[in-house]
Amino acid sequence: MTFAADQFLKTVSEEPGVYRMLDKEEQVIYVGKAKNLKKRLSSYFRKTGLDTKTQVLVRNICDIQVTLTNTETEALLLENNLIKKYQPRYNILLRDDKSYPYILLTKHQHPRLAFHRGAQKIKGEYFGPFPSSSAVSDSLRLMQKLFPVRQCEDSYYKARSRPCLQYQLKRCSAPCVGKVSDEDYDAQVNFVRKFLGGKSQEVIAELVAKMEQASENLAFEKAAKYRDQIQLLRKVQEQQSVSGKHAELDAIGYYSHNGLIAIHILMVRDHKVLGSKTLYPKVPKDSCDDEILTSFIAQYYCTPGASGRIAKELILPFAISEQNELAAAMSELKSSNVKLVTVQRGERAQYLQLANKNARSSLEVKQSTQDSINKRYALLKDALNLDDITRMECFDISHTMGENTVASCVVFDAQGPNKSQYRRFNVTGITPGDDYAAMAFALKKRYSKLVDETKIPDVIFIDGGKGQLNQAVEFFSDWPFDKEPLLVGVAKGTSRKPGLETLLIDAGRKTVNLSSDSPALHLIQHIRDESHRFAIAGHRNKRQKQRNRSVLEEISGVGQKRRQALLKYLGGMQGVKNATREQLSQAPGISQAMAEKIFNHLHDKA
């Protein structure tokens, strides 16, 4: 298929919008935005002046789809949503789907301080974002020492009839049982609000005024409490001394080497370094630094729900072509002025230098780890006499006395564990405890409907001896594809100690023993242990779910409403078990026949 560019460009609008480029298989291979769609798209089809990456992209275009938007900011948001959705191979991809944690101050009569991550649907004030959950936990522990505001769950708070241990430790003022007046509690909540907003000096000034007032009123016990708070706050200020004069900024460090990119974000809030994190965008070949940094900033900051992470000022490692456009879009999202600047000297330059240093260090560590993985793969390839290993899978079975059997399949690619492709299978229809049948079930589930040959592994490891391996050999005996994986059983030694494993190849007719210090064996142990861990986790979840399941759920005809009616009417599960047929039939919605059915089921169980 060829794309009729001239004919297409005649119909393209000159308004802002987003375009999607598709290949012959109708897969989206690139997503872009433009202030003027006609001009931007025309630039792809120039006869000269295109870089190598763009030439390759254009050769693969078979169709272009266009979506018009009202503004450039709308186009930017839509572009980022589509990049996340389609993951096009010619776009720079930022894989950072984790939402940032916040501290939530709820909107209750007695507000609660809590850790929060995800959609901000709960009514209250959100402070953050913080770079990690540990940063939030540390802040909450500090807040408990400074201000006696409750952090307990609402259900726990409502059920209290006397103060809990936090009150005894002077970390909560016990509003649940009226140990503090609403006025005094609200004052502490207001201190929390100001402290989290970076106004610690203002908090100290108010506490000093309250201490003096209490002293004048001869309320010396109250004055002593304020004094202790002031001393603790001053101590915290000394420990977290002011780093500089800039209250809020993100310094963005950048380092590239051997085709890998590391971008380090150093977050400064309330004049202090709050935290940092390093991200590694997936970058197509021949991408320039300007394009990479522009795409990173757009995807990281300019997405719906990400306005909380936008700082007032971003310190860039170098100037980028769309600097003003990105600043305008981020200002609109944050509803306040946002600056994107480059600096050469001063305090902000020192932050940037630190961010660049961290980016370089992180990338070097990552490359060192990858070099170690590559060495292990190369040695394993030699040990198994394979030309190449790009994908490996390993299977394991977990159960307790034959119950709740779960099979796991873990996947390792060239970068190591690929957790997004791990799979678990609930094994059914076999004799309980039959590991051979369970293995056959897992293999059939995994490969019987496989259509994509690129997903066929080079090696399949089976955690077990000849019996489990023979199940794999039998399954692959009529394999329809040209590529056939090497089947390897991993048999434990007689003492079952790591390092004594024997590899079974060729249906167990050939054995390979690697030395205990061999990196190739360490790689096999890693994938085997991952499959074991993943299977056990699935089995435990299934077992726990079964334990938490109500016996009433096993009775056909007893749905959620009837279960709730029975439990409420008879005072819980124990009351239902002890009830007679007549007592059961008196519950709302329970007929005489249903009561008989429930009674018989419960007493058969017993």
Side-chain angles (χ1 to χ4, degrees), residues 395-463:
F395 289 83
D396 192 20
I397 307 296
S398 181
H399 58 79
T400 301
M401 303 294 288
E403 291 188 359
N404 301 314
T405 304
V406 171
S408 70
C409 172
V410 301
V411 180
F412 276 42
D413 57 23
Q415 280 73 48
N418 188 340
K419 295 188 178 183
S420 65
Q421 296 194 31
Y422 284 15
R423 294 292 181 269
R424 289 194 190 103
F425 310 104
N426 291 321
V427 180
T428 57
I430 66 165
T431 303
D434 188 345
D435 285 356
Y436 299 163
M439 185 62 69
F441 178 94
L443 290 165
K444 184 178 179 181
K445 274 282 188 181
R446 178 65 171 167
Y447 301 116
S448 60
K449 295 181 180 179
L450 185 71
V451 293
D452 185 357
E453 285 198 52
T454 61
K455 296 289 180 69
I456 299 174
D458 301 294
V459 186
I460 294 177
F461 291 102
I462 305 295
D463 187 18

Side-chain angles (χ1 to χ4, degrees), residues 304-517:
S307 59
R309 67 172 67 164
I310 300 174
K312 292 179 180 177
E313 193 172 36
L314 267 65
I315 312 303
L316 305 183
F318 48 82
I320 54 178
S321 55
E322 296 187 31
Q323 201 160 306
N324 294 334
E325 291 84 348
L326 286 169
M330 291 164 69
S331 298
E332 188 173 327
L333 285 170
K334 191 175 174 66
S335 300
S336 63
N337 189 36
V338 176
K339 295 179 181 178
L340 273 65
V341 298
T342 54
V343 293
Q344 301 297 326
R345 60 184 65 86
E347 183 185 298
R348 294 178 299 174
Q350 291 175 0
Y351 284 134
L352 180 61
Q353 185 180 6
L354 182 59
N356 283 328
K357 184 178 179 180
N358 276 281
R360 178 169 186 158
S361 174
S362 300
L363 190 60
E364 286 172 350
V365 170
K366 187 178 178 69
Q367 284 184 314
S368 174
T369 305
Q370 189 60 49
D371 289 343
S372 174
I373 291 171
N374 293 340
K375 181 182 177 183
R376 290 183 177 189
Y377 271 70
L379 291 171
L380 180 61
K381 185 172 62 177
D382 292 340
L384 299 178
N385 294 318
L386 291 173
D387 295 330
D388 196 16
I389 297 178
T390 57
R391 184 184 178 94
M392 301 185 294
E393 298 188 3
C394 184
F395 289 83
D396 192 20
I397 307 296
S398 181
H399 58 79
T400 301
M401 303 294 288
E403 291 188 359
N404 301 314
T405 304
V406 171
S408 70
C409 172
V410 301
V411 180
F412 276 42
D413 57 23
Q415 280 73 48
N418 188 340
K419 295 188 178 183
S420 65
Q421 296 194 31
Y422 284 15
R423 294 292 181 269
R424 289 194 190 103
F425 310 104
N426 291 321
V427 180
T428 57
I430 66 165
T431 303
D434 188 345
D435 285 356
Y436 299 163
M439 185 62 69
F441 178 94
L443 290 165
K444 184 178 179 181
K445 274 282 188 181
R446 178 65 171 167
Y447 301 116
S448 60
K449 295 181 180 179
L450 185 71
V451 293
D452 185 357
E453 285 198 52
T454 61
K455 296 289 180 69
I456 299 174
D458 301 294
V459 186
I460 294 177
F461 291 102
I462 305 295
D463 187 18
K466 284 187 178 180
Q468 284 94 334
L469 181 61
N470 286 337
Q471 296 297 324
V473 172
E474 184 179 339
F475 177 82
F476 284 98
S477 60
D478 58 348
W479 185 239
F481 298 100
D482 294 331
K483 180 181 177 180
E484 189 169 338
L486 175 66
L487 305 176
V488 181
V490 184
K492 299 178 179 71
T494 52
S495 63
R496 302 178 70 85
K497 288 184 178 178
L500 301 178
E501 292 88 350
T502 298
L503 306 183
L504 307 176
I505 303 173
D506 193 18
R509 290 185 286 272
K510 179 182 176 183
T511 61
V512 176
N513 289 97
L514 300 173
S515 62
S516 60
D517 61 350

